[in-house]
Amino acid sequence: MLRLFRYNWMVRDEWFEVFGAISEEELLRERTGGVGSILKTLFHIVDVECSWIRVIKGEPDPEPDFNDFASLDKVRQLSAQYRIEVEDFLTHWTSESDGEPVAPSGTEETFTQGEILRHVIAHEIHHVGQLSVWAKELGLRAVTANFIRRGL
Amino acid sequence: MLRLFRYNWMVRDEWFEVFGAISEEELLRERTGGVGSILKTLFHIVDVECSWIRVIKGEPDPEPDFNDFASLDKVRQLSAQYRIEVEDFLTHWTSESDGEPVAPSGTEETFTQGEILRHVIAHEIHHVGQLSVWAKELGLRAVTANFIRRGL
């Protein structure tokens, strides 16, 4: 499981680099699909990953407000900050917990730990696919989505 | 590993349904990003998945030609046909083979089985993210990318 998270982090960092080349106006421009703008999508990826890990841990959602992080550098810093916590959780996680039930507070639903982790993995790759279309529209080079050839 | 493949197949089938609502002209229209058109992207997903499984099995690549499958129904049929083989391979696959080396013929590179399987999983989710942007541009409803709430 950790390897797919590491893949996502590697790809995410490469997108932070690529999007460093465009203006804040372009980063914040509303676009069709996804959660709106490039920056909102990056923020959403970072936010959702940490939120779900907190759900598994039974800890409160940090609930960051996008308006407090509306620049590429701030989202990048938030990503780095949350990653320490997420990586710590995942390096101690084993597949024995795959089927462990998780009941998020405030809902009637239950999931399993493995289900949530796969959800988080797919969530980021999906949104990155959206970013890749927007990047091409802006004439930027797209970060490769390859899992192979990354030493993972 | 199988669960993420099953997720991809479920999502793929839902996209086949959604794209059944638009004309062949729209399906074939060249778009920015990805591998070009909606239909080429769906074909590419199906093609690449089977190709990599064949690489692991040490069997020849079927190498279907897009021109022979340039309709939604034909790509859907190809997807169903290949899935039988891919699913058969995966249901017999165990994590003990994760680190098994794979050397595709005609290259100097080597991968591991687990690396290739994760690559195939990420490959489809990434391209589906692109499809979701194009679908929104066409006013279609996007298939949910959720892994949760699918009974997987």
Side-chain angles (χ1 to χ4, degrees):
Chain A
M1 209 73 88
L2 180 58
R3 285 167 74 188
L4 280 163
F5 275 87
R6 283 201 205 281
Y7 159 80
N8 272 338
W9 297 333
M10 199 178 275
V11 171
R12 191 192 303 168
D13 286 344
E14 290 171 24
W15 278 112
F16 279 131
E17 282 301 311
V18 168
F19 287 129
I22 62 171
S23 67
E24 198 153 282
E25 193 186 344
E26 282 299 345
L27 287 169
L28 291 166
R29 192 186 301 284
E30 286 296 309
R31 297 172 197 278
T32 303
V35 292
S37 67
I38 290 169
L39 204 58
K40 270 188 194 158
T41 302
L42 289 166
F43 173 80
H44 176 67
I45 287 169
V46 170
D47 177 26
V48 164
E49 181 177 275
C50 188
S51 291
W52 275 114
I53 298 300
R54 291 281 181 99
V55 168
I56 297 178
K57 291 163 80 178
E59 293 177 8
D61 189 334
E63 294 190 90
D65 184 330
F66 177 69
N67 296 312
D68 297 329
F69 295 92
S71 82
L72 193 67
D73 272 348
K74 285 184 183 162
V75 176
R76 200 199 297 236
Q77 281 165 27
L78 191 70
S79 171
Q81 180 195 320
Y82 284 176
R83 190 172 311 172
I84 296 167
E85 177 176 338
V86 175
E87 190 162 17
D88 180 65
F89 173 80
L90 289 167
T91 50
H92 294 93
W93 190 88
T94 67
S95 56
E96 281 167 33
S97 303
D98 204 323
E100 282 291 309
V102 179
S105 65
T107 74
E108 299 289 304
E109 287 187 293
T110 57
F111 307 104
T112 65
Q113 290 196 15
E115 194 180 2
I116 290 172
L117 295 179
R118 288 175 185 86
H119 176 72
V120 174
I121 289 164
H123 180 264
E124 175 153 359
I125 305 172
H126 180 78
H127 281 300
V128 164
Q130 297 171 334
L131 290 178
S132 77
V133 171
W134 296 338
K136 274 294 175 77
E137 284 169 356
L138 289 163
L140 298 168
R141 71 168 178 85
V143 169
T144 175
N146 281 350
F147 182 93
I148 53 170
R149 304 190 186 102
R150 287 182 176 276
L152 287 161
Chain B
M1 210 72 90
L2 180 58
R3 285 166 75 188
L4 279 162
F5 275 88
R6 284 201 204 281
Y7 159 80
N8 272 339
W9 298 333
M10 198 178 274
V11 170
R12 192 192 302 168
D13 286 344
E14 291 171 23
W15 278 111
F16 279 132
E17 281 302 311
V18 168
F19 287 129
I22 62 171
S23 67
E24 196 154 285
E25 194 186 343
E26 283 298 346
L27 288 169
L28 291 166
R29 192 186 301 283
E30 286 295 310
R31 296 171 197 277
T32 303
V35 294
S37 67
I38 291 169
L39 204 58
K40 270 188 195 159
T41 302
L42 289 167
F43 173 81
H44 175 67
I45 288 168
V46 170
D47 177 25
V48 164
E49 180 177 276
C50 188
S51 291
W52 276 113
I53 299 300
R54 290 282 181 98
V55 168
I56 297 177
K57 291 163 80 179
E59 293 177 8
D61 189 334
E63 294 189 270
D65 183 330
F66 177 69
N67 295 312
D68 298 330
F69 295 92
S71 83
L72 193 67
D73 272 349
K74 285 184 184 162
V75 177
R76 200 198 298 236
Q77 280 164 28
L78 191 70
S79 171
Q81 180 196 320
Y82 284 176
R83 190 172 311 172
I84 297 166
E85 178 176 338
V86 175
E87 190 161 16
D88 180 65
F89 173 80
L90 288 167
T91 50
H92 294 93
W93 191 88
T94 66
S95 56
E96 281 167 33
S97 303
D98 204 321
E100 281 291 309
V102 179
S105 65
T107 73
E108 299 289 304
E109 287 187 294
T110 58
F111 307 106
T112 66
Q113 291 196 15
E115 195 179 2
I116 290 172
L117 294 178
R118 288 175 185 87
H119 177 72
V120 174
I121 289 164
H123 181 263
E124 175 153 358
I125 306 172
H126 180 78
H127 281 300
V128 164
Q130 297 171 333
L131 290 177
S132 76
V133 170
W134 296 338
K136 275 293 176 76
E137 285 168 356
L138 289 162
L140 298 169
R141 70 166 179 86
V143 170
T144 175
N146 281 350
F147 183 94
I148 53 170
R149 304 189 186 101
R150 287 183 177 275
L152 287 162

